[in-house]
Amino acid sequence: MDCIEGCGGGVSPAAERLRYILGEDDDMPTPTLFTEMDTLQHDGDEMEWKESARWVKFEEKVEEGGERWSKPHVSTLTLHSLFELRTCIQTGSVLLDLEGYSLPQIVDDIVDRQVADGLIGPELREKVSFVLLRKHRHQHKKPIHLSLADMGKSNNSPTTSGLHHSTEDLRAKSGSLGRLRESMKNKFMKKIPRDAEASNVLIGEVDFLDKPFVAFVRLAQATTLGGLTEVPVPTRFLFVLLGPHGKGKSYNEIGRAIATLMVDDLFSDVAYKARDRDDLVAGIDEFLDEVIVLPPGEWDPKIRIEPPKKVPSADMRKSVLNLNELGQVNGTAGGPGGGEDEEMPTPHELGEELQFTGRFCGGLWLDIKRKVPWILSDFSQGFHIQSISAVLFIYLGCITNAITFGGLLGDATDNYQGVMESFLGTALAGTVFCLLGGQPLIILSSTGPILIFEKLLYESNTIDYMELRLWIGLHSCLQCLILVATDASYIIKYITRFTEEGFSSLISFIFISDAIKKMVGSFKYYPINRVFKPDYVTTYRCDCIAPDQGEPLLFSSFAAVSPPHIVLPPYNLTGLDWSQLSKKECVKYGGALLGNACKYVPDLALISFILFFGTYSMTVSLKKFKTSRYFPTKCRSLVGDFSIIISILVFCGIDYLLGLDTPKLHVPTEVKPTRPDRGWVVMPFGKNPWWVYVASGVPALLVTILIFMDQQISAVIVNRKENKLKKGCGYHLDLFWVGILMAVCSFLGLPWYVAATVISIAHIDSLKMESESSAPGEQPQFLGVREQRLTGILVFVLTGVSIFLAPVLQYIPMPVLYGVFLYMGVASLAGIQFWERIKLYLMPAKHQPDFSFLRHVPLRRVHLFTLVQIICLAVLWTLKSTVAAIIFPVMILGLMVVRKMMDLMFSQHDLAWLDDILPEKDKKKEKDGKKKKDNKRTKAAEPESDEEPKSPLPPPVKIPMDTIGLPSAPDPPSPPSLTVSSPPSLTHLAPRL
């Protein structure tokens, strides 16, 4: 009962002490520690320190019998070794802030302290110094030092003078191979941060000691100690453990324990800020509070645990607030008895950009102030090789979309707007928006609902289409500016994940379905030759029959109908060998084709599908190649960044080599309106009655709603906190320029443009940044997105000059671009929780992924929530496929109403995990949370007094130390078979200690 009361609540003495230690100079970050463990090797009378393991974040061992490093793995420690380490720190020598400039001097200070403390006799001084100053052999230099060791065996006398001579010989020989050594070091140095320091652990058995020699040293200044460390990193800490023979395995486990502790984020802070040995012991006790025990009967200690893909942040452990409120992290680490089920996820936050200011153009002014400081970096950060890949990828997507949309718009409006207008409008609107908009990562494009609106508008034949369209655009521009001036964008705060996912999923499915539809349609134009049988190939023939020369009328009639570019030969056609002419030559010279194989055409539909799926599959494979095991990191990153461009070039090359007449990209070659009877500027008056200028405000309202919802939802998706954008948003500034561009495009007779969700997501994905330097075994960390304006501007400038690139672009097959469309649609579904929940319908419960919402919400409620989203998506899909698509923007607003009604179907707890709490609920929750925190702080402040605080050091844990020769109290039961893992990595693998 006492144990339960002592462990269940409150703050442990160790945590109390650490809170006091870490609270000092907390704003000064401690360097990353690289830890190397060397063990003492005996070869007759010769001794040397051999590197056996190293840590940057995870452990790497030197493989026994092999000259290579093991794969990085999570350090698994015996519980006994941690207790033995605790006793070592309590009974050994602890030298903090030692002034040391060379290894011999540091060794002398350590030995002097041991002699002064009576831990060793003076007669052992030279022997211990001799052992500690033996040469160090590192793993990557093993072949070199084997030969050097054979060359340097002339001096075998175990004297101090001989030691220094040997060390100097080694340095001289190593210096002659400096270039090779540096080249070998650099590969691993990339994995170590620049400001890193080293901690060295020396473990060995000697025959002149009868009890362990233990020392923990922290240098006042990090110092490079010659060849002590395998990489040129200055040493800050040393841990030395020498002991009598027979306990080597125990010594090794203690060395691994201290090495693992030194790379632990919290203990390394303690080691830097400790004032005495009690502070170090408190750090070990805090580590013991958090370790996870793996039962020996349920887990094989020989298994090397792979590093997790994502390691929890140590910020919570370091936080004084958490140490104060929680005491022990295990109390909330999860598991059956933890408080995890009572926790709520991080609330939905859209930032200060959507706060209602109540002032005229207040939000717009704040957006401008927020973006001005980043003007220079918006251009300078675009100069990176990754930007080249992003520009080419998004450019191809934009021109494909412009050609597709322009063609459909030309059919719908009788060429009042066509491909040329689509190209120029995309270039103009996109360039202006990326240059002046609030979020330059957004890509503008035309949308399906706008196309349907244009079609319905053109069918009103009683009034002039272009003039009516101009006034609708002007009214819509005015309405957008009114929304900007009144801070109407704050309504976006009520768009939760439910609405975002429904909208983005719909757009993604449209991209996927359109790409597939276009490929299925290729069978209509290029039917497969079903009537041709391979077994009957010998019977198929097509002959060219010469025209009858005796009938001049036949020849003259052929000349009359011949195309003007065909020049008839001046010689007598009877001299030609008609059987050797090609099909084109036969028709050209007036011959006739006769035979059952004359109508044969290649299976262009089949090769089109190969190009289509080949481009998609290769792009997906090359994207995943970035995380494969092959080739160096830079090579893999380069291939991953340029995966789409590589795929397009490969399949364009395949198409060119095959020489088949597959459908190609057709780009206009002259800058002129698609319809000859219209100019580049639309006049506002003269063709329609006066009342049309006023009445056009009603249809303009539908356009405004569509633009507002499409633009702002796309902006919310782009600005998600998952993308780690740092330059802020600009919802009001974005809408301002979209409205202005509406008016400009209306005057020029160009299509209207708004944010393209899928292409914008693809733009974000192509500019994501990951950490270049990561510890061995650690996955590259997502750092954010390369926020700049250069890629977007270049994309739209290239779109504008594509007219002059037509000779090159005509070699790109359309099926290849449809494959890019398919990839964009599928890739934009990645990370959408709605899509993951749809897949749960097809999975048995035992095979379902360990999603956080499945831990807190019953599966039947998850399925019900998903079903509501599926129904809403089906309604939107049906709506956009009919003439009723004109009210599509109103239905987007309807999603927000449906989400509000779901508050009646689901609890706020379930909605917090499956969606986001609506803002008014969030405010109440924040108030309640503040009240609880204030109450806790009041209670915590009550017992405080002016008296000195009691020592936070917990009572020492007594365990048998006779295994390594350390003094100990009576023996409690010892658990040497239990194995524990370092705390950051395995909280999900075993119950709490």
Side-chain angles (χ1 to χ4, degrees):
M1 189 67 183
D2 293 339
C3 178
I4 296 176
E5 291 176 356
C7 301
V11 181
S12 69
E16 185 72 30
R17 189 177 194 113
L18 294 189
R19 181 177 61 181
Y20 184 71
I21 298 170
L22 300 180
E24 301 175 356
D25 301 327
D26 209 24
D27 55 341
M28 297 179 61
T30 56
T32 302
L33 279 177
F34 164 72
T35 302
E36 176 181 328
M37 187 173 82
D38 293 356
T39 55
L40 188 63
Q41 302 293 316
H42 297 266
D43 185 8
D45 294 333
E46 288 290 311
M47 287 184 291
E48 66 176 0
W49 293 99
K50 177 190 173 187
E51 184 179 13
S52 58
R54 67 185 181 190
W55 288 255
V56 177
K57 189 174 186 67
F58 299 100
E59 181 178 3
E60 295 176 272
K61 292 182 178 179
V62 176
E63 300 283 19
E64 295 182 7
E67 296 181 0
R68 73 183 192 108
W69 287 104
S70 70
K71 288 183 60 178
H73 55 276
V74 177
S75 298
T76 50
L77 312 172
T78 62
L79 190 59
H80 197 67
S81 67
L82 288 171
F83 287 126
E84 288 178 327
L85 172 63
R86 188 179 188 275
T87 304
C88 287
I89 297 296
Q90 285 181 317
T91 59
S93 297
V94 175
L95 291 80
L96 300 179
D97 296 328
L98 176 68
E99 296 290 343
Y101 303 100
S102 67
L103 185 58
Q105 179 218 329
I106 295 171
V107 169
D108 288 342
D109 290 341
I110 295 173
V111 175
D112 289 343
R113 174 64 66 87
Q114 287 273 329
V115 173
D117 293 342
L119 298 177
I120 63 171
E123 69 279 1
L124 298 178
R125 181 192 302 270
E126 287 193 3
K127 291 184 178 180
V128 172
S129 297
F130 174 78
V131 171
L132 293 181
L133 292 175
R134 288 285 78 196
K135 64 183 180 182
H136 290 259
R137 174 157 57 89
H138 303 295
Q139 170 62 17
H140 66 75
K141 297 186 293 186
K142 181 173 181 178
I144 303 172
H145 279 274
L146 281 177
S147 59
L148 292 177
D150 292 337
M151 295 168 58
K153 283 188 176 180
S154 58
N155 191 349
N156 295 327
S157 175
T159 61
T160 307
S161 60
L163 164 70
H164 292 296
H165 179 69
S166 174
T167 304
E168 293 299 324
D169 281 349
L170 178 65
R171 290 177 180 174
K173 294 167 185 175
S174 298
S176 65
L177 297 168
R179 293 183 180 179
L180 177 60
R181 182 176 61 184
E182 289 303 319
S183 66
M184 299 175 75
K185 284 180 182 178
N186 288 338
K187 295 179 181 179
F188 184 65
M189 278 298 294
K190 296 177 182 178
K191 300 292 184 180
I192 303 176
R194 292 183 179 180
D195 63 341
E197 296 178 351
S199 63
N200 292 90
V201 178
L202 306 179
I203 305 297
E205 297 176 276
V206 292
D207 55 6
F208 53 81
L209 291 175
D210 56 2
K211 62 179 182 180
F213 173 99
V214 181
F216 179 89
V217 180
R218 182 182 69 199
L219 300 179
Q221 295 293 332
T223 306
T224 302
L225 301 177
L228 182 63
T229 309
E230 70 162 301
V231 286
V233 175
T235 296
R236 171 75 74 162
F237 297 95
L238 282 97
F239 179 83
V240 179
L241 173 58
L242 298 177
H245 283 289
K247 308 296 182 184
K249 185 175 181 181
S250 179
Y251 301 156
N252 188 71
E253 289 302 312
I254 295 173
R256 292 182 60 248
I258 185 62
T260 303
L261 277 165
M262 294 307 295
V263 295
D264 177 68
D265 291 325
L266 184 55
F267 186 83
S268 64
D269 277 2
V270 174
Y272 271 97
K273 299 175 182 178
R275 298 155 300 181
D276 51 37
R277 77 171 72 237
D278 291 340
D279 290 346
L280 295 174
V281 172
I284 297 175
D285 289 335
E286 191 278 338
F287 189 89
L288 283 167
D289 284 343
E290 299 182 38
V291 294
I292 306 299
V293 176
L294 299 174
E298 301 175 14
W299 176 74
D300 184 0
K302 296 180 181 179
I303 295 175
R304 291 175 179 171
I305 301 176
E306 292 281 343
K309 291 184 178 179
K310 186 177 181 181
V311 179
S313 172
D315 292 340
M316 189 176 75
R317 297 175 59 210
K318 293 182 180 181
S319 171
V320 176
L321 176 64
N322 280 294
L323 285 172
N324 184 25
E325 295 188 355
L326 302 178
Q328 297 179 4
V329 179
N330 271 343
T332 57
E340 187 179 18
D341 291 337
E342 300 176 0
E343 293 181 1
M344 298 288 278
T346 305
H348 182 57
E349 297 178 359
L350 290 175
E352 60 179 7
E353 297 87 354
L354 293 176
Q355 290 182 355
F356 183 72
T357 64
R359 301 189 302 272
F360 179 77
C361 292
L364 177 63
W365 174 244
L366 291 177
D367 283 351
I368 295 174
K369 288 176 62 178
R370 190 179 300 112
K371 303 305 291 187
V372 165
W374 303 103
I375 289 179
L376 293 179
S377 65
D378 280 346
F379 292 92
S380 62
Q381 292 182 4
F383 291 95
H384 191 273
I385 190 171
Q386 188 182 22
S387 300
I388 300 175
S389 170
V391 167
L392 295 177
F393 171 34
I394 303 303
Y395 163 67
L396 290 172
C398 283
I399 62 170
T400 306
N401 197 45
I403 290 173
T404 304
F405 184 83
L408 295 175
L409 197 58
D411 294 339
T413 63
D414 196 17
N415 286 329
Y416 274 107
Q417 297 177 80
V419 176
M420 175 56 67
E421 287 79 7
S422 182
F423 263 81
L424 295 180
T426 301
L428 172 65
T431 303
V432 172
F433 185 86
C434 288
L435 186 63
L436 303 173
Q439 181 48 271
L441 296 176
I442 291 176
I443 300 296
L444 296 190
S445 179
S446 299
T447 61
I450 287 181
L451 173 63
I452 295 175
F453 182 87
E454 297 270 18
K455 183 178 181 180
L456 294 176
L457 198 64
Y458 179 75
E459 291 175 354
S460 304
N461 295 323
T462 56
I463 51 182
D464 184 74
Y465 163 68
M466 295 301 290
E467 188 177 295
L468 173 63
R469 183 179 179 277
L470 168 61
W471 281 98
I472 290 177
L474 293 176
H475 278 288
S476 183
C477 171
L478 178 62
Q479 292 166 2
C480 286
L481 295 181
I482 292 174
L483 293 176
V484 171
T486 57
D487 288 353
S489 294
Y490 84 96
I491 194 177
I492 302 301
K493 293 192 342 184
Y494 296 91
I495 295 181
T496 62
R497 184 189 294 269
F498 177 87
T499 307
E500 290 177 32
E501 292 183 342
F503 181 79
S504 59
S505 297
L506 175 67
I507 304 301
S508 299
F509 288 146
I510 289 175
F511 262 68
I512 295 171
S513 65
D514 284 352
I516 295 176
K517 278 181 182 178
K518 293 179 188 300
M519 290 311 306
V520 172
S522 63
F523 284 103
K524 176 181 178 181
Y525 301 102
Y526 310 106
I528 292 179
N529 301 302
R530 302 179 185 275
V531 296
F532 291 95
K533 307 296 182 184
D535 191 46
Y536 299 147
V537 68
T538 54
T539 64
Y540 296 141
R541 58 183 300 174
C542 181
D543 298 324
C544 181
I545 306 301
D548 188 355
Q549 297 292 331
E551 298 180 5
L553 291 177
L554 179 63
F555 184 80
S556 61
S557 64
F558 168 72
V561 299
S562 296
H565 64 277
I566 295 180
V567 180
L568 294 178
Y571 48 83
N572 189 359
L573 294 179
T574 56
L576 291 177
D577 186 357
W578 291 89
S579 63
Q580 300 299 318
L581 296 180
S582 67
K583 179 179 177 180
K584 290 183 179 180
E585 292 172 339
C586 181
V587 174
K588 175 180 178 180
Y589 297 143
L593 297 172
L594 183 64
N596 54 3
C598 293
K599 295 183 179 180
Y600 175 83
V601 291
D603 287 330
L604 295 182
L606 180 60
I607 189 61
S608 295
F609 263 94
I610 292 175
L611 297 175
F612 171 66
F613 283 110
T615 303
Y616 167 76
S617 302
M618 188 173 185
T619 302
V620 172
S621 300
L622 292 181
K623 273 289 182 185
K624 293 180 179 179
F625 184 73
K626 196 170 186 178
T627 57
S628 71
R629 302 173 184 268
Y630 305 101
F631 299 101
T633 303
K634 285 189 176 180
C635 178
R636 287 186 279 112
S637 298
L638 202 62
V639 171
D641 290 339
F642 286 85
S643 58
I644 298 164
I645 306 305
I646 294 173
S647 302
I648 292 173
L649 292 177
V650 167
F651 283 93
C652 285
I654 292 175
D655 176 77
Y656 179 78
L657 292 176
L658 292 176
L660 298 178
D661 191 20
T662 53
K664 299 295 193 300
L665 183 65
H666 295 290
V667 182
T669 56
E670 297 182 44
V671 183
K672 63 180 181 180
T674 305
R675 189 180 175 100
D677 60 348
R678 61 150 286 193
W680 280 119
V681 179
V682 179
M683 303 307 296
F685 303 104
K687 296 184 179 180
N688 291 328
W690 66 268
W691 57 267
V692 174
Y693 310 145
V694 179
S696 56
V698 177
L701 184 61
L702 284 176
V703 177
T704 303
I705 296 175
L706 170 63
I707 288 176
F708 179 82
M709 297 303 297
D710 201 342
Q711 175 68 38
Q712 303 297 51
I713 292 179
S714 298
V716 168
I717 294 172
V718 168
N719 294 323
R720 280 176 180 168
K721 60 184 178 183
E722 291 86 351
N723 292 329
K724 296 184 179 181
L725 301 183
K726 300 176 182 178
K727 296 186 178 180
C729 314
Y731 294 97
H732 309 87
L733 186 58
D734 288 344
L735 188 59
F736 172 81
W737 284 112
V738 168
I740 295 296
L741 290 170
M742 281 280 294
V744 174
C745 290
S746 299
F747 268 111
L748 298 178
L750 304 177
W752 295 323
Y753 294 92
V754 74
T757 307
V758 171
I759 300 181
S760 298
I761 293 174
H763 191 205
I764 289 269
D765 186 62
S766 64
L767 291 170
K768 285 184 175 179
M769 299 182 295
E770 292 181 339
S771 57
E772 295 181 0
S773 176
S774 57
E778 185 180 15
Q779 296 291 331
Q781 300 298 310
F782 172 59
L783 302 178
V785 179
R786 201 173 301 280
E787 298 178 66
Q788 36 73 49
R789 300 178 183 270
L790 205 56
T791 55
I793 293 173
L794 289 176
V795 163
F796 292 112
V797 168
L798 283 175
T799 303
V801 302
S802 293
I803 300 168
F804 307 104
L805 301 177
V808 177
L809 297 177
Q810 67 181 357
Y811 289 102
I812 302 179
M814 289 303 294
V816 169
L817 297 181
Y818 296 151
V820 174
F821 264 46
L822 178 63
Y823 171 77
M824 292 171 105
V826 174
S828 62
L829 289 176
I832 296 181
Q833 190 194 89
F834 173 47
W835 180 240
E836 299 296 335
R837 283 189 272 108
I838 288 178
K839 293 189 287 186
L840 292 180
Y841 279 109
L842 307 177
M843 298 181 189
K846 64 180 180 180
H847 296 304
Q848 292 175 353
D850 186 22
F851 294 127
S852 58
F853 58 83
L854 289 179
R855 296 184 179 186
H856 301 84
V857 183
L859 186 60
R860 64 182 184 279
R861 305 294 291 174
V862 174
H863 285 335
L864 178 60
F865 186 89
T866 308
L867 181 62
V868 174
Q869 281 188 292
I870 292 175
I871 293 173
C872 292
L873 182 62
V875 171
L876 289 175
W877 182 273
T878 303
L879 191 67
K880 73 94 186 172
S881 304
T882 62
V883 179
I886 191 79
I887 63 170
F888 178 79
V890 180
M891 293 305 297
I892 297 295
L893 286 174
L895 286 179
M896 300 171 63
V897 178
V898 173
R899 169 60 185 86
K900 180 64 177 176
M901 295 174 61
M902 292 179 72
D903 281 348
L904 305 176
M905 300 173 56
F906 296 88
S907 67
Q908 294 301 307
H909 174 271
D910 292 353
L911 289 174
W913 285 104
L914 295 174
D915 187 38
D916 297 304
I917 303 295
L918 292 176
E920 56 268 21
K921 300 283 184 181
D922 203 14
K923 290 178 182 178
K924 293 179 181 179
K925 185 180 172 185
E926 287 179 2
K927 291 180 180 178
D928 294 341
K930 289 180 179 178
K931 288 181 180 179
K932 290 181 180 179
K933 289 182 179 180
D934 292 340
N935 292 336
K936 286 184 179 180
R937 289 172 182 170
T938 303
K939 291 180 180 179
E942 288 176 358
E944 292 183 358
S945 65
D946 296 334
E947 297 179 2
E948 287 290 329
K950 295 182 180 180
S951 173
L953 181 64
V957 179
K958 306 279 182 123
I959 81 160
M961 292 294 108
D962 56 343
T963 55
I964 63 170
L966 291 173
S968 66
D971 300 346
S974 172
S977 60
L978 291 180
T979 306
V980 299
S981 66
S982 49
S985 310
L986 300 177
T987 55
H988 63 288
L989 293 180
R992 296 176 293 126
L993 175 61

